Amino acid sequence: MNEFKIINNYFKTLTNNSVGARKLEDDTATVKIPPNCELVVSKDMMIENVHFLKKDGGYKIATKLLASNLSDIAASGATPLYYMLGFSKNKHTNQNFIKNFTLGLKDVQKKYGIYLIGGDTVKSDKALVFSVTIFGYVKKNKILLRDKAAIDDLILVTGNIGDAYLGLKLLTAKNTKEFKCDKDDKNYLLKRHHFPDPKIDFAKSLIKNNLSSSAIDISDGLIADLNHICQASKLKAAIYQDKIPLSKAAKKFLSNNRQINFTDLISGGDDYELIFTAKAKNLAKIMTLAKKLKISVNCIGNCQKSDKTKPGNLMVELYDEKGKPIQISKYGYQH
Ligand code: ADP
Ligand code: MG
C-alpha cells in the first residue's frame, strides 16, 4: 500500500474530523490551547527489537507507543490534546498490520480524549521505527518538573513496579519452561507490558490540589528515573525495599524463579507509573485522592541532603527492612 492510501484509508479516521488536522491533506496542522496555559510537547521513538517485537503485532505496538507518550504528559501533570505520528513501513508491513496499528491508536486515543493531527510516513529497508509527538497543556507555572524535589520530601509511586519487565521476560523466554508462571499471572504480566496505564488524571489532580511539584514517569526503571529527579534537584533519595509495591503476580514470580531478583524489577523499566515527591503534610490528602481515582500510591522513601550530586553518580540509596544498604549494580535501561 502506498503512503497516500495508508494515510487516507486508515490514519484519517484518527483525526476525529478535527479542523486543525485539515484531513491530513495540508502541509501543516494548526493547534490551539486554552488561555493562560503553556503548550507541553513530548516525543518518543520506538525501534523494532529494542522497544517492540514484530510478533507483538500492530495493535500492541501502537497501544504501547501512544500510551508511553501519554505517560510523559502525565509526568508533567498536563492534559493531553493531540499527537503526530511518524510511521515507517517495510516489505513485511501488510494491510492487516496497518489496520491493527490504527485500531490500537484508536482505542488509546478514545480512552484519553486525544486525536491525530499529522505526521510523516517513510519506507525502511530493515527495522521499523515509529514515533509519536504528543501535545498537551498545563496552567502557566504549574507544570511538574524533575528539579522541584526538596529535602525531606516524601517519595511516592503509583501502581506496582516490575510487572512490565516480567511481561517482557515472558515474551522473550527461550521456551515455555524457562519460567514457572501460571496462566492467569502470565496474562496479567503481559497485559502490563503491552498496555501501560498512564496516570494522567491523578497527576492533574496533584497539581490542582497543590500536592506535588516534582514528578517523572518510569520508563527506564524505578532507580534510573528516580535518579533523574535526584540529579536535577541536587539531593539524594533513600528508599526502602519492603515499601516498593509489587503485584501478587510479581511476588509469586520472584519466589518461583530465583534467576530473577528484586533489583531486576526496579531497574527493568517500562512501568509507566509515576514517581513524585510531596511534603509529608500532604500525604493524607494524596492517599484520599488516590482512593477516589481508584489507583494505589505508596510512599517508598524520602529526599535527603547530599553533597555528592555529580552527573553520573547514583544518588539513590536502597535499604532492606533492617536498614542495611542493598548494592545496586545495574540501575536502568540505557539506550
Ligand atoms: P510533505 O511531503 O509535504 O512533508 P507528506 O506527504 O509527508 O507531506 O504529508 C502529507 C500530509 O499527510 C500531511 O498533512 C501530514 O501531516 C500527513 N501525514 C503523513 N504521514 C502521516 C502519518 N503517519 N500520520 C498522520 N498524518 C500523516
Ligand atoms: Mg512530510
Side-chain angles (χ1 to χ4, degrees), residues 132-275:
V132 159
T133 305
I134 194 159
F135 301 80
Y137 68 91
V138 68
K139 273 239 165 70
K140 271 199 179 126
N141 304 318
K142 287 286 188 178
I143 192 167
L144 298 175
L145 294 168
R146 295 179 182 187
D147 67 357
K148 290 284 183 286
I151 291 159
D152 291 336
D153 276 2
L154 302 179
I155 299 166
L156 302 110
V157 294
T158 62
N160 291 317
I161 304 302
D163 292 338
Y165 170 80
L166 294 177
L168 179 67
K169 282 278 145 193
L170 288 165
L171 259 184
T172 52
K174 283 187 226 75
N175 54 57
T176 51
K177 295 216 173 75
E178 186 176 351
F179 299 112
K180 191 173 165 231
C181 182
D182 67 41
K183 209 170 128 211
D184 286 351
D185 285 352
K186 187 173 172 183
N187 286 341
Y188 167 81
L189 295 170
L190 288 175
K191 196 170 144 228
R192 291 275 291 157
H193 175 78
H194 287 299
F195 304 102
D197 180 22
K199 302 295 184 288
I200 302 267
D201 288 342
F202 179 69
K204 280 167 64 176
S205 305
L206 285 177
I207 292 183
K208 200 170 154 209
N209 296 290
N210 266 323
L211 296 173
S212 171
S213 48
S214 185
I216 190 169
D217 65 316
I218 308 177
S219 54
D220 291 339
L222 172 73
I223 301 288
D225 289 315
L226 177 55
N227 197 42
H228 290 314
I229 286 191
C230 294
Q231 287 283 352
S233 300
K234 300 196 165 48
L235 41 75
K236 72 177 182 186
I239 58 170
Y240 302 90
Q241 176 169 26
D242 57 328
K243 304 263 192 270
I244 296 172
L246 302 190
S247 67
K248 262 191 206 143
K251 280 183 195 155
K252 225 158 95 193
F253 192 101
L254 287 188
S255 66
N256 286 336
N257 300 278
R258 294 290 172 181
Q259 68 273 44
I260 306 278
N261 59 47
F262 177 81
T263 53
D264 294 326
L265 299 199
I266 55 173
S267 53
D270 274 350
D271 296 299
Y272 301 110
E273 295 293 345
L274 285 180
I275 306 173

Side-chain angles (χ1 to χ4, degrees), residues 3 23 30 127 141 194 224 281 287 292 322 332 334:
E3 181 189 352
K23 301 183 179 152
T30 48
N141 304 318
H194 287 299
K281 66 171 196 269
M287 292 308 179
K292 205 173 121 202
K322 293 192 187 107
Q334 291 200 344

